[in-house]
Amino acid sequence: MSIYLQVSNVENLSPQVIRSLAKEIADLCNDPPEGIKIFPNDEDITDIQAHIEGPAGTPYAGGSFRMKLVLGKNFPSEPPKGFFLTRIFHPNVASNGEICVNTLKKDWKAELGIKHILLTIKCLLIVPNPESALNEEAGKLLLEQYEDYSTRAKLYTEIHAKPMKCMEEKEIPSLSKNCLEGPLAKKHAGDKKVIDKKKKEKKKVLKRL
């Protein structure tokens, strides 16, 4: 998935818009919506990134999906663009991660804030809209073969949106069994055998001297 490269539009926004945006972002950081964590860019207020937890009961459950909002020079008169940076199999997400939702299109209103957008995108994970699909395959499967759609979406979630268990901080002190049985562990075990063999050979040589 290609990542949208953003050009900062801070200089094009009015001081009033920047102040309002800064306040809302600060409020979201202090009191984030459930299942959403925002990561503001201190150097560029128009670069807003967030992690959205996959809602329970959906093929995205258990996943953490990184996304970003791109604010244009005419914000808030024009809606921002939304992109998933984490790969996801979803009818309303294009191959480049662009998100298609009415809130960011025809239903946009200047008074709608960042919180509303993030909640709308989270809701899109619960109720996709196959009628405005950017991913036609996902949209078709959702309508005609839901089980296949769900299986594919779960697979993407498992591969791209879930952290490796052995890399989780809580498991670092005592690595999980799976990690200890991986190829790297086998390599280290092999290395240890070689070292032990060399030590024994060295002892034999010393005894002869």
Side-chain angles (χ1 to χ4, degrees):
M1 180 182 294
S2 60
I3 296 177
Y4 184 95
L5 296 176
Q6 181 182 356
V7 177
S8 175
N9 284 301
V10 173
E11 61 184 25
N12 296 311
L13 301 180
S14 69
Q16 181 181 353
V17 169
I18 292 175
R19 281 196 298 271
S20 176
L21 197 55
K23 183 182 183 306
E24 184 177 14
I25 290 173
D27 290 343
L28 283 171
C29 288
N30 294 328
D31 186 21
E34 184 179 354
I36 298 175
K37 188 173 183 180
I38 191 168
F39 297 92
N41 184 337
D42 294 335
E43 297 180 359
D44 182 2
I45 202 169
T46 66
D47 174 30
I48 302 172
Q49 298 194 22
H51 281 190
I52 298 179
E53 292 179 12
T58 73
Y60 311 105
S64 178
F65 297 88
R66 185 173 160 223
M67 55 84 59
K68 75 183 297 180
L69 295 176
V70 178
L71 277 56
K73 61 182 180 180
N74 295 318
F75 178 84
S77 299
E78 293 179 358
K81 287 185 176 182
F83 291 85
F84 272 109
L85 303 181
T86 301
R87 289 197 67 180
I88 183 172
F89 188 73
H90 191 287
N92 307 113
V93 182
S95 59
N96 69 340
E98 184 174 0
I99 302 166
C100 178
V101 61
N102 286 337
T103 298
L104 300 179
K105 305 288 183 181
K106 63 181 182 178
D107 292 345
W108 173 254
K109 296 177 182 178
E111 60 267 25
L112 295 178
I114 302 302
K115 181 179 180 179
H116 180 85
I117 297 170
L118 295 175
L119 287 172
T120 300
I121 292 173
K122 182 183 177 182
C123 286
L124 200 63
L125 296 181
I126 301 172
V127 187
N129 181 10
E131 293 179 2
S132 60
L134 290 178
N135 183 329
E136 292 183 6
E137 183 184 10
K140 187 175 181 181
L141 284 176
L142 176 62
L143 290 172
E144 300 175 3
Q145 297 170 290
Y146 181 80
E147 287 302 318
D148 290 346
Y149 158 76
S150 179
T151 299
R152 182 84 68 87
K154 285 178 180 177
L155 182 62
Y156 269 60
T157 300
E158 190 71 33
I159 294 173
H160 302 291
K162 289 189 176 181
M164 290 177 62
K165 289 184 178 180
C166 58
M167 294 304 290
E168 290 179 0
E169 187 176 348
K170 63 182 179 181
E171 294 187 3
I172 287 176
S174 54
L175 292 175
S176 69
K177 183 181 178 183
N178 289 339
C179 294
L180 291 174
E181 292 177 350
L184 195 60
K186 289 178 180 178
K187 177 182 181 300
H188 288 318
D191 291 345
K192 188 176 185 299
K193 287 180 180 178
V194 172
I195 292 169
D196 289 342
K197 186 178 179 182
K198 287 184 177 180
K199 283 182 178 179
K200 288 180 181 178
E201 289 175 352
K202 189 176 180 181
K203 285 181 180 179
K204 287 180 180 178
V205 172
L206 290 174
K207 284 181 179 179
R208 291 172 186 169
L209 293 176

